[in-house]
Amino acid sequence: MPATTTLFRAARPVFQQSASRAAFRTTFSHTGRRFASTAAPGETASQSFFQRMWNSPVGVKTVHFWAPVMKWVLVLAGVSDFARPAEKLSLTQNGALTATGLIWTRWCFVITPKNYLLAAVNFFLGIVGIVQVTRIITYRSSQKNLPAAAESKVAEVKEAIKS
């Protein structure tokens, strides 16, 4: 018998449900509100807005604050692309921005701590991407109908020349 099969058989009891795991789950599964701060309730009430923002798990000292702030540049770049003609826009790039915005918007509500600032920037990134992808697809579909319209105009001009 191969060594890997023996290893998996030996490890099987480790992965099976046991009474100790059930006891662990009942002990540590919490319902209700999640723990939000290490400070006493009276202590947070006496702090100013800036102190709370500085000491927050998504505050100014963390990447949870600065990543969304920097990501707004992507949203502004997408909004500035509204002025560009649709033929100069990249479908793959805007599709990637749309997917990124929509996927990470959902993820911001799953992670701990919940990052509403990051959810907002990703939501707007998804919206900007959807608008740009719609513009590109509309332009490309109008270009597909263009040769048929051009051929009919050529036929009209030929008939006008003959008569």
Side-chain angles (χ1 to χ4, degrees):
M1 195 180 295
T4 55
T5 307
T6 308
L7 177 68
F8 289 135
R9 283 188 181 165
R12 189 174 293 161
V14 174
F15 295 109
Q16 292 177 344
Q17 188 76 5
S18 65
S20 62
R21 285 181 70 189
F24 177 81
R25 285 188 181 179
T26 58
T27 304
F28 291 105
S29 64
H30 297 296
T31 56
R33 304 191 103 189
R34 65 181 174 89
F35 187 70
S37 174
T38 57
E43 185 180 332
T44 57
S46 65
Q47 290 181 346
S48 71
F49 170 77
F50 296 107
Q51 288 174 327
R52 283 182 297 171
M53 196 61 183
W54 186 258
N55 296 324
S56 170
V58 291
V60 179
K61 295 189 292 187
T62 67
V63 71
H64 300 292
F65 175 80
W66 289 107
V69 167
M70 296 301 154
K71 203 166 187 178
W72 278 108
V73 174
L74 291 174
V75 175
L76 293 175
V79 169
S80 69
D81 282 346
F82 288 161
R84 292 181 69 194
E87 67 265 9
K88 295 194 177 199
L89 297 175
S90 168
L91 182 61
T92 54
Q93 179 180 0
N94 284 293
L97 287 175
T98 303
T100 300
L102 298 178
I103 291 168
W104 283 99
T105 298
R106 170 69 181 118
W107 185 248
C108 292
F109 295 115
V110 174
I111 60 173
T112 301
K114 289 184 181 7
N115 196 338
Y116 297 110
L117 183 59
L118 186 60
V121 71
N122 283 314
F123 175 76
F124 284 107
L125 186 63
I127 295 298
V128 166
I130 287 171
V131 169
Q132 295 291 49
V133 166
T134 304
R135 285 183 60 212
I136 294 167
I137 291 173
T138 305
Y139 171 75
R140 289 187 180 175
S141 67
S142 70
Q143 293 299 309
K144 287 180 183 175
N145 298 332
L146 193 60
E151 288 176 12
S152 65
K153 288 288 184 185
V154 168
E156 288 176 18
V157 170
K158 283 183 181 179
E159 284 195 29
I161 292 174
K162 288 181 183 177
S163 58

